Amino acid sequence: VAVSQDTFTIEVSDVGFLIREESGKYLIRYRTPSVSVIELPAVFVVCVSREKVFAIPKRCVPEDQMEEIRTLMKDGLGEKYQVWDK
C-alpha cells in the first residue's frame, strides 16, 4: 500500500471544489456523476472517483465557516451528500 504525503488545499464553492496541489489546480464540479461527500464526525470525505479521495479534517475548517461549507456541499450534491454520524 502506497501512502501519499502530498499537501493540497480545497476551496468549496457553489459549483464544486477547487483543488490546489503541487502539480497544479483543478475544479471538481458537483454535477460530475462520480463526485460525492460523506460527512463523518471528524472529517469530510470527498470522493472524486474510485482512485481519488480527499479527506478534509473538520479541525482544519474554521468554525464560523462550517455551516456555510455544509450548505454549499448539500445544495450542490443533493443525495450524493451523506452524513454518517456513527
Side-chain angles (χ1 to χ4, degrees):
V1 175
V3 177
S4 173
Q5 297 296 323
D6 295 341
T7 58
F8 61 90
T9 59
I10 295 180
E11 182 179 319
V12 181
S13 74
D14 59 342
V15 296
F17 304 97
L18 180 61
I19 300 186
R20 293 183 175 95
E21 297 179 298
E22 290 180 16
S23 60
K25 64 181 180 178
Y26 52 98
L27 178 64
I28 299 168
R29 296 184 181 275
Y30 296 132
R31 68 178 185 223
T32 303
S34 62
V35 174
S36 64
V37 169
I38 300 169
E39 181 179 347
L40 299 172
V43 69
F44 293 103
V45 181
V46 180
C47 306
V48 178
S49 68
R50 293 179 129 189
E51 297 81 25
K52 193 101 169 166
V53 175
F54 292 93
I56 306 171
K58 289 183 177 178
R59 63 180 165 72
C60 296
V61 178
E63 188 64 38
D64 63 334
Q65 294 179 13
M66 187 70 73
E67 281 307 312
E68 178 184 6
I69 288 170
R70 275 192 187 107
T71 299
L72 286 168
M73 292 188 295
K74 286 179 184 177
D75 290 351
L77 291 165
E79 292 180 1
K80 297 189 301 177
Y81 182 93
Q82 299 177 27
V83 177
W84 295 1
D85 53 7
K86 293 185 180 185

